[in-house]
Amino acid sequence: MTGSKGSGSGSGASSRGNSGTWPTDVVVIGATSAIAEQCTRLWLEGGASTALLIGRDEARLAAIATDLGVRFPSAAVTTLVADLVSPASIASVVADFAGPGSAGAAAGAGLTVLVAHGSMTEQEVSQASLVEAASVLEVTGVSPSLWIEAAADTMTAGTIAVIGSVAGDRGRKKNYIYGAAKALIEAMAEGLQHRLAGSALRVVLVKPGPTATPMTASMPQKGLAPVEAVAGEIVAGVNAGRAVVYAP
């Protein structure tokens, strides 16, 4: 994995998502997703001083970091290209950003980690191939679950947020493989909330509804929520430490 740094800064608080305790340090896994990018922008706009963007696409990460650097020149924005599904990679990356002696550990309760990656393959495609089904389950369910488990094992304070979906509420024929992956995230998040109850570490399950993003570009757009509005609700809910954030 490789890292790069740009500069990034916000001063004024955002008009959206401005409730709760604002983080000083933000780490975003799956930072190239549209929702994750908007959330990062809002956190920096509201006053976060650092953002670590983690993903698989080096060029896309660099483009987002450059944009954030122009918008928020006084914040430190760094990028890290990593294997998002390898348990060894997950453990190593989390130790680097949140382990003893790290900037995340120093931030304490000011650290917010958002796990936002996933893959939405058409149900017809994934149900026709066990290889495709396995990929959806691994990338969208198992991998995010391992990230939040590793973060919970490493962090002692702060907030861990993970993007699930209303699709995980129940199995439906049109998206049950994707929904099963999101249901795994929900069970993991609920278990961690129970395990960490009373500690200084909070876990937030985010459940967006249908949102207008590149991932949903092939779907009918009528009724899809604007990504900016969804991100605003997510940031407000995560900052407030709500157990579950439905957005919208």
Side-chain angles (χ1 to χ4, degrees), residues 91-187:
S92 175
V93 171
V94 172
D96 285 346
F97 73 66
S102 68
L111 174 62
T112 287
V113 176
L114 174 64
V115 180
H117 62 289
S119 172
M120 182 181 285
T121 302
E122 293 293 334
Q123 174 66 28
E124 292 77 10
V125 174
S126 54
Q127 76 183 40
S129 166
L130 291 181
V131 173
E132 290 290 344
S135 177
V136 172
L137 293 171
E138 180 178 41
V139 173
T140 307
V142 175
S143 171
S145 296
L146 293 179
W147 278 99
I148 63 174
E149 177 70 21
D153 291 342
T154 306
M155 296 168 60
T156 58
T159 302
I160 303 166
V162 60
I163 295 185
S165 173
V166 293
D169 287 350
R170 63 185 179 92
R172 296 181 295 174
K173 67 178 183 179
K174 70 176 185 179
N175 64 354
Y176 63 81
I177 293 176
Y178 175 80
K182 292 298 189 179
L184 170 58
I185 291 175
E186 180 164 353

Side-chain angles (χ1 to χ4, degrees), residues 143-248:
S143 171
S145 296
L146 293 179
W147 278 99
I148 63 174
E149 177 70 21
D153 291 342
T154 306
M155 296 168 60
T156 58
T159 302
I160 303 166
V162 60
I163 295 185
S165 173
V166 293
D169 287 350
R170 63 185 179 92
R172 296 181 295 174
K173 67 178 183 179
K174 70 176 185 179
N175 64 354
Y176 63 81
I177 293 176
Y178 175 80
K182 292 298 189 179
L184 170 58
I185 291 175
E186 180 164 353
M188 286 288 293
E190 289 176 346
L192 285 172
Q193 288 169 348
H194 191 191
R195 167 186 155 189
L196 299 170
S199 76
L201 186 56
R202 303 178 298 180
V203 176
V204 178
L205 172 63
V206 177
K207 302 177 76 170
T211 305
T213 69
M215 186 180 286
T216 59
S218 63
M219 298 170 53
Q221 297 299 293
K222 183 178 180 180
L224 298 186
V227 68
E228 296 85 358
V230 171
E233 294 192 31
I234 290 171
V235 166
V238 172
N239 288 357
R242 300 210 307 262
V244 180
V245 178
Y246 281 94

Side-chain angles (χ1 to χ4, degrees), residues 65-89:
T66 298
D67 176 72
L68 293 174
V70 171
R71 293 174 184 272
F72 311 107
S74 68
V77 179
T78 57
T79 66
L80 181 66
V81 179
D83 184 338
L84 301 185
V85 300
S86 162
S89 173

